[in-house]
Amino acid sequence: MVATPDDGSCGIGTYARDLIKGIGAVSADTVEIPQDDRSIPAFLQLAVRAARGNGDVVHVQHEYGLFRREGSKYPGVLGLLFFPVLYVACALRSKSIVVTMHSVLDFEPDEAPFSVRLYLLLMHKLLAVCSAHLIFLAPDCASKFQGDIALESDEYSLLSHGVNTDVSPDLSKAEAKRRFGYDPDEPVVAIPGFIRPPKGHDIFLEVASKLPEYEFMIAGGARPKGEDFEFAEQIKADAPDNVTVTGVLDDDDYWAALKAPDLAVLPYRVVTQSGTFNACATQELPVLASDAEYFERIEGAWGTPETVDVSDADEVAERVRQLMEDESRRTKLADVMAQYKRANSFEQVGTDHRRIYDRVQPDAESELEPSVESA
């Protein structure tokens, strides 16, 4: 498994850890993508280390930012080096490559210059050529990719992100609230996860300022460098008195932070799949989310989360107030989240991955049917 470190600094590293557990692998080598060394030698070494592992399959968790080079206008440009080297090294050792696309970029002509759009086309073609199988975590990701590169039905799968079903902190809601400095009877609204501009933390602050009768918690932080860190520092500076910013949390504190709120608000401007939403499902926490396509699709299939136009902060604040004043409505959302959790468990997702791994090995003969996520 090629992913970021499982140290709480990146959601993809956490996802990879949970996926390995869901797969039920007897053993798994995890090769960490360097986040502090964006040099060509570092990514050459990464490709070689991945190919030298003991497994029959090398599974890369792909997000453009993980393969970025400082100062480059081309998203994930170091992938142009990493994937060909990995492909050759794996071919020499009779290993297959599987790639999970955590997002797919597809710029319109007025959004990016021709050179960037051409680069993305070449990058996607390279990913398709080097991979025995591609996994997408949302339908729009699969459709965007296939807008560039046509894939046969046995060359890709659409799978659910996966939800933990066995993570439950050994403390009550009242104890969790005390842990973060709240009285047990204080109403708490939270936005969990890493602080990043697309997630709308600035919208969250605006809503909090309109609802001084409630406590708001930003349960997360940002890596200590780059644009995300600068944005997180600005969020902390702008936070009104009823907002607590925890900073980056370890696993124990993160799950406790998901136990404390009465409601989660995810005002994401951009989202293709959300580990944070799935973490809320783990704790059966009711969610009010943006009307992004991802959330609306899940709402249409499951009746949760409730969605709202986040361009209107007054409307978001009013919906938060309605939900906080209606316990039965929150309970209904929590019950549906429990159903979603069971249907999209990492155990089920792990079974799908084992099936893919079995089929892509060089001696496999049967065809692989495309999978569709439960959500």
Side-chain angles (χ1 to χ4, degrees), residues 173-361:
K173 179 179 286 290
E175 291 169 332
K177 285 186 176 183
R178 290 193 188 96
R179 187 163 176 168
F180 291 95
Y182 302 116
D183 292 333
D185 59 349
E186 282 187 299
V188 178
V189 181
I191 177 171
F194 292 102
I195 299 176
R196 300 187 63 237
K199 293 185 175 183
H201 288 80
D202 53 320
I203 299 170
F204 188 80
L205 293 190
E206 189 173 357
V207 171
S209 69
K210 296 176 182 295
L211 298 170
E213 65 269 34
Y214 302 129
E215 293 294 331
F216 287 75
M217 176 169 64
I218 298 177
R223 287 176 59 85
K225 62 170 53 180
E227 294 181 2
D228 289 354
F229 179 74
E230 294 173 4
F231 177 71
E233 290 296 292
Q234 189 61 53
I235 289 296
K236 286 192 289 185
D238 294 343
D241 292 340
N242 64 331
V243 175
T244 299
V245 183
T246 67
V248 176
L249 300 169
D250 61 23
D251 277 356
D252 185 51
D253 283 335
Y254 181 65
W255 293 116
L258 283 165
K259 189 85 169 183
D262 302 284
L263 176 71
V265 176
L266 306 180
Y268 293 8
R269 294 184 174 92
V270 179
V271 57
T272 54
Q273 53 82 23
S274 175
T276 299
F277 175 76
N278 285 280
C280 292
T282 294
Q283 298 303 313
E284 301 171 18
L285 178 62
V287 174
L288 176 66
S290 72
D291 59 355
E293 180 183 347
Y294 173 79
F295 291 129
E296 285 195 326
R297 177 171 51 81
I298 299 176
E299 181 185 31
W302 290 91
T304 188
E306 286 198 12
T307 58
V308 63
D309 179 2
V310 296
S311 66
D312 186 344
D314 288 327
E315 174 61 19
V316 179
E318 179 57 29
R319 291 286 294 280
V320 169
R321 180 183 286 110
Q322 291 173 5
L323 283 163
M324 294 299 284
E325 292 178 352
D326 192 341
E327 185 176 358
S328 64
R329 190 166 155 189
R330 297 199 312 275
T331 299
K332 181 179 179 181
L333 285 173
D335 290 342
V336 179
M337 288 290 266
Q339 298 171 26
Y340 177 88
K341 175 175 71 172
R342 290 190 293 271
N344 293 276
S345 69
F346 267 111
E347 289 77 15
Q348 177 59 50
V349 174
T351 298
D352 294 335
H353 277 76
R354 288 198 302 273
R355 177 177 59 84
I356 291 168
Y357 295 160
D358 288 342
R359 299 294 181 88
V360 301
Q361 293 181 45

Side-chain angles (χ1 to χ4, degrees), residues 85-118:
V85 174
L86 179 66
Y87 178 76
V88 172
C90 285
L92 292 173
R93 298 175 66 88
S94 298
K95 296 176 184 287
S96 299
I97 300 170
V98 172
V99 176
T100 293
M101 300 294 295
H102 284 257
S103 66
V104 174
L105 294 179
D106 180 26
F107 294 122
E108 296 295 329
D110 60 345
E111 295 176 322
F114 175 76
S115 61
V116 172
R117 289 180 281 122
L118 177 61

